[in-house]
Amino acid sequence: MNANALLRLPVTGMTCAACVRRIEKALQRVPGVHTASVNLTTEEASVEVAPVVTLDALANAIRHAGYDVPTGTAEFAIEGMTCAACVRRVEKAIQAVPGVSSATVNLATERATVQTVGAIPPATIASAVARAGYVARDIATRTRVRRGGAGLPVAASAVLTLPLVAPMLLQPFGIDAMLPGWLQCLLATPVQFVLGMRFYRAGWKALLAGTGNMDLLIALGTSAAYGLSVFLMFQHAGHAPRHLYFEASAAVITLVLLGKWLEARAKHETTAAIRALAALRPDIARVRRGGTDLELPIDRLRVGDLVIVRPGERIAVDGEVVEGRTQVDESMVTGESQPRDKGPGDRVIGGTVNAEGALVVRTAAVGAETTLSRIVRMVETAQAGKAPIQRLVDRVSAAFVPIVLLIAAATLTGWGIVGAGWETAIIHAVSVLVIACPCALGLATPAAIMAGTGVAARQGILIKDAQALETAHRVNTVVFDKTGTLTVGRPALAAVHPAPGKTRQDVLSLAAALQQRSEHPLAKAVLRAASQEGIPVPAVSDARALPGRGVEGTIEGRLVRLGSTRLLDESAADSSSLAQDGARLEGDGRTLAWLIQDDEGRPRVQGLLAFGDPVKPSAAEAVRLLKRRRVHVALVSGDNLGSTLAVARELGIEDVHANTLPAEKAAVIARMIRDGATVAMVGDGINDAPALAAAHVGIAMSTGTDVARETAGITLMHGDPQWVSAALDISHGTHTALRRGLFWAFVYNAIGIPLAAFGQLDPVMAGAAMAFSSVSVVANALSLRGWSPSAPSVSKAY
């Protein structure tokens, strides 16, 4: 019977004894909680629970009560892992640390991502990993340790093994070059116990932890072959034995070392995208301070600094151009090959290349907050993540080594019983142990995920997590937002209709006042028009957004609202004087905004503004590409029905939902999912965030808001809807490579183990097949590196 556990959680937000009682009651309602006590002074909850209760369940109960539980994320480089069984062991060791809510370990990146409740010293997690037989250290240290010399053990092992294997290769030609037994032992011993010591160390640690791994199989198999050879050599002292197996043990170790070295080189290639992106970041920037231009390291820059960028140089920071005009090559960040014109007021991205003119850029973001750093962080997170299918692989690998040991024991016993001789029985058992390495099984999924996210990043498709990448290939319905996604997103003010007794200047003045602090495209259009016409803008107070409807504020003591027809209906203002104009403009596909002002407590319409937002040139092709994939396309917009239908007609979209609030957009997505669709939502605004989260896959435009990008699983750096199809395409390619890798990993073992058990594979052949299986699985993933978008209008830029 499992004992109860005592869990401790930090709690923030408590102010009094009533808070303590509320939290204790919330915790006691969680099934499996026996006792709960909260200390207001230490801000800590102590909970006695059954083993089935998780930290996440307790943390959620506290949050539902109105308080918070601090959480964190830590990353560790893990050294010493060789197969899927190792991954499972490290995850279990980390998850056993009090305060850890989840741990994900990736064999291909050799990285552990740990979610914690409260702060846990890194040394605590490192100690837990060490007890499991591995080493956890920071990534920078791991890089220094592993650099250089990796091929030397392989070369040394090959030099010592070749004289042992060569006579076997010459025998079919009638050449007898077999070395004396003592010389074979002399050559094989350093291979077995010096170069092969890593297998003994890792295998021993696995045994101490009560589990098995690839190293244990190799250590047992080669030791059996080596030990049998020593036994035969002394048994037949004075005359040559029939055969020794030193070449088998040495060749297996050499082949495994060679396979691991090739595998490491191949895995290094899967992270090429990260290194390429990181290399874009300049180390030095030319900064203007106090009228003097200084060259400073990037890490000494501050927000607001003026950075000088000469022609041909990489731009060092994210910022806004304050002086100069040029063209900027953003291809390595956005994937678009055509340079973009930049001038005062335009945004530039750190890491892009200034083509022809000198620029002065005011720094807007430095360090980890730059676009390039966020891209690198997003790709690293996706590569370190674990696809849903990997959970099945983990369960299989957990039982794999014990089953292989049983098969090897059965092989040994079976051949011995049928009278083949214990020497033959041992060799066949060794072959089973050697070929049954679960490396390929552990590498198939992470290698494909790494390669897929890497090549996608190079094309300007940023994939936040492995689940989004794996799910996107199943998408059969794509829902587009309209403004900024299918349209240019820079609407212009097309018409202003003042109410009777008001002027165009009156309407624009009040509308611009309300929109002063807004980043909405319609707000920018109003402000541009007011600025161009030289209209004075009064001060506004208590301005606030009305989600999905508009904005309101107080101007000269009166409440003023500007927003959609929905806002007009809610305010119950009389719009009859402008109703005919509104109907005509809406029928023309214009977006309407009504200006309403309280007059002695009664809302009165002051005017009507109409906006036009042209459809993106690539939008029609984007819809056509998706339909060619037999994907259903829908349009969901918060805009009025007339303008939404106008865009839908132009693009050939039949499924249209207009006048939708953010929550209603999410409801549309949820309804499609209930009807059996696998849905991707494409949007760019704050109001799209609920729908992006509700969809199976959220796809955000980089030209949109930070909220949309954070919510979405995939971000398109191009702002071009054609790339939605490309994102689905790379997901399909990655999923295919993932499935193919798993298929071959299983096939190698399904065919190889029975062949070895029935005596059809000797240890040397088994070792070669095992090494080849790992290399071939990673090479399969690397086939994704040649992917490029299939649509001609998308791929022609490359």
Side-chain angles (χ1 to χ4, degrees), residues 166-175:
M168 295 179 59
L169 301 176
L170 295 173
Q171 251 180 356
F173 302 100
I175 302 173

Side-chain angles (χ1 to χ4, degrees), residues 42 54 94 205 207 221 320 352 404 427 491 596 604 616 624 697 762:
T42 61
T54 64
I94 296 175
K205 289 175 180 177
L207 278 178
E320 180 181 318
T352 57
V404 169
I427 291 303
I596 307 161
R604 297 184 184 276
K616 289 180 178 179
R624 189 186 68 79
V697 180
D762 63 37

Side-chain angles (χ1 to χ4, degrees), residues 662-727:
E664 292 170 338
K665 288 186 178 183
V668 170
I669 301 293
R671 188 161 58 248
M672 292 177 174
I673 291 173
R674 284 197 301 271
D675 291 340
T678 302
V679 182
M681 170 69 194
V682 188
D684 72 327
I686 293 174
N687 61 334
D688 298 320
L692 290 168
H696 290 105
V697 180
I699 302 177
M701 300 289 185
S702 67
T703 50
T705 63
D706 289 341
V707 173
R709 291 194 296 271
E710 289 298 322
T711 306
I714 299 174
T715 299
L716 305 180
M717 294 302 295
H718 316 79
D720 184 341
Q722 283 185 101
W723 286 81
V724 173
S725 180

